[in-house]
Amino acid sequence: MIRTGDIGVVRIQEVTSPRFVYVPVCAALVLQGVASLSLHNTAFQDEALYLYAGRQLFTQLAGGSPATDTYAAYFSGAPGFYPLLAGMLDALGGLGLARFFNLLCMLCVTLAVFAVTRRLFDDTSASLAAVLFAVQGPVLMIGHLATCDALSLALLGLASVLALHAGAASRALWPIAAGVALGAATIAKYVAFLWAPTVLALLALWAWQHVGVQGAIKRVCLAVAALITTVFALFAFDPGMRVGLDFTLTRHAVFVSASREILVARVAAWGGGLIGFACIGIALLGLARSHSKSVLLALVLGGAAMIAPASHLWKAEASSLPKHMAFGLFFAAPLAGFALARIGGYLRSSFMPARWLASLAICVALFGVGLYQAQGLFAEWANSDEMVRILRTQVRPNSSRILAEESEVPRYYLEDVTAPWQWTGLYYFHYTDASGRNFTGEDGYRQAIADGYFDLVMLKYGASINVDRAIDSGLRDGSHYDLIARLPYTTGFGKGEYWVWRRGAR
């Protein structure tokens, strides 16, 4: 069947079966689901923190004990949104169920890629865009990671679909719904707000094309009003979230720095293929020169793809780069799908099997690369099974004081036998000794260790290696503590060991 489609600027002819276009999408969803579910590791530090906090917040809402921490002050999203939902899922089915929910969210994002591309271009471009997006390493990784990224991206995808529908619809409900979805995405993870202008720009361009300038202005104003109302309503409900927004976005500190050369290499590895095809799509639309709106549309989508890389390169920050890249890849996928469809000969007057096979080979190759990358990303943190098993034999409920590097992980796994107050991490510490003297930071850790304050100490000499080395002299000298275990682990960065000390009777 030959179908003529409209991408707003360029008229195209598509040679395809109307049923065939859904086959690649279904295959992409199956591959994405199987690949994400094949990833295995114990809870990541952020996962453990979100799930532990979510279970506490659920207990509090149910009339139980209040949460022991002001999570809103440093979470990257509203604690009462994704963490609460994930905590409830964890209570029902453990880490696996919480991760499965995120997989469902990412499958919805792939469908959103298909819907957006189909609206902007054509069926075949939409199918290829969905395939290209589904096989990316960052996409597969966050599809099996119980953090707020998948839900936020799913809501951002929904906002994009609603925005394009609102651009041509007559009812005011649609731009309002797009604004609410965009606000919900921001609430789920504050960094999603960086892509809010992109969604609003898509709404403006699509409405400008279909209902004119005045109609576009009206729809954008409605969407912005809904976005602002949604966000500020929640911030008014929980003022502590303003501190969290400031801590995680506006005045975000760099936790894991990296050279810009390394960051460029990672961006190229984790999304270079998709971004490269997106650049080809921009060039093809630019060469068409049928209308200036096509170039604007291409630049909006292409610019959105570069927001995360540009932000991380500017700050020279490595942490969360693959997760943030997935947001940009969502907007790059429609351009990449259009480019691959043109290269593969789908949008021509005759079917070209050789080019079709070339497109298929590209998708298969990118899937292999993406799965390999996702496995590597999932191996960047240590498997904590053995460490948790050893600590479980040593902790005493409601009595042991435990100092642990990345304490969120053992605290989550040992929630059934420990209380929140028993755990101390390596981020900040205030200690008052028997004579009433106050110590903070590294001085506080050293003095507490010298006094035998902690019953158990677990260090791994990882991201907090400078603090570890500054405070471990009192552990190694044997004056108060005995080394009871050295547990090897391997991550994507190399090998290491968990060191576990127990306070001895002296």
Side-chain angles (χ1 to χ4, degrees):
M1 183 186 77
I2 299 179
R3 187 177 77 86
T4 301
D6 186 0
I7 62 173
V9 258
V10 181
R11 302 294 293 184
I12 57 176
Q13 280 191 319
E14 180 182 18
V15 182
T16 182
S17 165
R19 297 179 180 178
F20 176 77
V21 296
Y22 297 104
V23 175
V25 179
C26 295
L29 294 174
V30 172
L31 284 176
Q32 181 182 354
V34 171
S36 289
L37 291 173
S38 71
L39 304 176
H40 296 289
N41 202 346
T42 54
F44 179 52
Q45 185 179 5
D46 290 351
E47 290 183 291
L49 175 60
Y50 283 135
L51 297 177
Y52 188 87
R55 294 187 69 155
Q56 281 199 335
L57 293 171
F58 177 69
T59 300
Q60 176 178 308
L61 287 176
S65 302
T68 58
D69 203 350
T70 53
Y71 296 113
Y74 61 92
F75 270 19
S76 58
F81 195 10
Y82 176 78
L84 177 60
L85 176 60
M88 295 168 60
L89 293 173
D90 179 63
L92 292 173
L95 176 62
L97 183 58
R99 284 177 168 176
F100 185 74
F101 170 77
N102 279 31
L103 173 59
L104 295 179
C105 288
M106 290 308 297
L107 294 177
C108 290
V109 177
T110 300
L111 291 174
V113 169
F114 176 81
V116 168
T117 311
R118 193 182 193 194
R119 174 77 67 166
L120 295 177
F121 300 108
D122 58 273
D123 289 346
T124 304
S125 296
S127 297
L128 292 173
V131 174
L132 288 172
F133 178 79
V135 301
Q136 298 301 306
V139 173
L140 298 176
M141 187 266 287
I142 65 175
H144 200 51
L145 195 69
T147 61
C148 56
D149 302 273
L151 177 59
S152 179
L153 185 50
L155 291 167
L156 191 65
L158 175 62
S160 301
V161 174
L162 292 173
L164 291 177
H165 187 78
S170 58
R171 298 181 62 185
L173 174 65
W174 294 108
I176 292 174
V180 171
L182 196 54
T186 302
I187 291 169
K189 184 165 185 172
Y190 303 139
V191 76
F193 186 74
L194 296 177
W195 286 273
T198 301
V199 177
L200 295 174
L202 288 177
L203 171 60
L205 287 171
W206 204 245
W208 178 22
Q209 175 184 326
H210 289 86
V211 296
V213 175
Q214 291 185 345
I217 294 175
K218 177 182 177 181
R219 284 160 174 75
V220 170
C221 288
L222 287 172
V224 170
L227 165 62
I228 293 174
T229 302
T230 302
V231 173
F232 277 86
L234 189 60
F235 273 69
F237 176 76
D238 188 354
M241 288 172 52
R242 300 174 188 172
V243 180
L245 176 64
D246 187 56
F247 178 77
T248 61
L249 187 60
T250 57
R251 297 185 183 180
H252 175 66
V254 176
F255 293 105
V256 181
S257 60
S259 69
R260 289 179 173 83
E261 292 77 11
I262 292 177
L263 291 176
V264 169
R266 291 180 179 177
V267 169
W270 292 333
L274 185 61
I275 294 174
F277 279 111
C279 291
I280 296 174
I282 293 174
L284 291 172
L285 290 173
L287 291 173
R289 296 180 181 177
S290 298
H291 204 294
S292 60
K293 294 176 186 176
S294 65
V295 179
L296 288 175
L297 176 67
L299 292 178
V300 165
L301 294 173
M306 299 310 298
I307 289 175
S311 175
H312 281 262
L313 286 170
W314 176 48
K315 298 177 182 178
E317 181 181 21
S319 60
S320 297
L321 175 59
K323 294 188 291 184
H324 294 164
M325 279 194 62
F327 285 76
L329 294 177
F330 170 80
F331 293 100
L335 291 169
F338 173 72
L340 190 58
R342 290 292 296 269
I343 293 171
Y346 290 103
L347 309 181
R348 296 178 181 272
S349 59
S350 61
F351 191 68
M352 305 178 70
R355 293 190 178 186
W356 182 87
L357 291 175
S359 299
L360 179 62
I362 289 172
C363 293
V364 171
L366 288 177
F367 172 71
V369 172
L371 179 58
Y372 177 77
Q373 290 174 348
Q375 291 170 340
L377 290 169
F378 234 69
E380 286 190 352
W381 64 91
N383 186 294
S384 59
D385 280 340
E386 187 64 13
M387 178 268 291
V388 170
R389 186 187 67 80
I390 292 296
L391 291 185
R392 185 174 289 275
T393 66
Q394 302 297 316
V395 297
R396 299 294 180 266
N398 298 314
S399 61
S400 301
R401 296 189 183 95
I402 310 156
L403 174 63
E405 184 174 353
E406 298 179 4
S407 58
E408 296 85 355
V409 175
R411 183 182 65 174
Y412 164 71
Y413 281 112
L414 298 175
E415 183 181 14
D416 59 325
V417 293
T418 61
W421 66 264
Q422 294 180 247
W423 295 93
T424 300
L426 294 181
Y427 306 111
Y428 176 78
F429 183 56
H430 179 272
Y431 176 68
T432 303
D433 67 4
S435 62
R437 294 180 300 170
N438 293 316
F439 302 87
T440 59
E442 294 177 1
D443 292 335
Y445 291 117
R446 280 192 290 263
Q447 188 61 45
I449 290 171
D451 293 343
Y453 175 79
F454 300 108
D455 298 286
L456 283 171
V457 178
M458 187 277 290
L459 304 179
K460 64 189 291 283
Y461 297 90
S464 304
I465 188 171
N466 293 331
V467 179
D468 295 335
R469 289 175 173 171
I471 69 175
D472 67 358
S473 58
L475 300 169
R476 294 176 181 271
D477 65 14
S479 58
H480 285 288
Y481 293 88
D482 298 319
L483 181 65
I484 62 172
R486 290 178 60 179
L487 310 172
Y489 65 81
T490 301
T491 71
F493 301 105
K495 296 182 178 181
E497 289 181 312
Y498 288 108
W499 294 61
V500 183
W501 285 273
R502 181 180 60 197
R503 182 165 59 85
R506 297 291 190 268

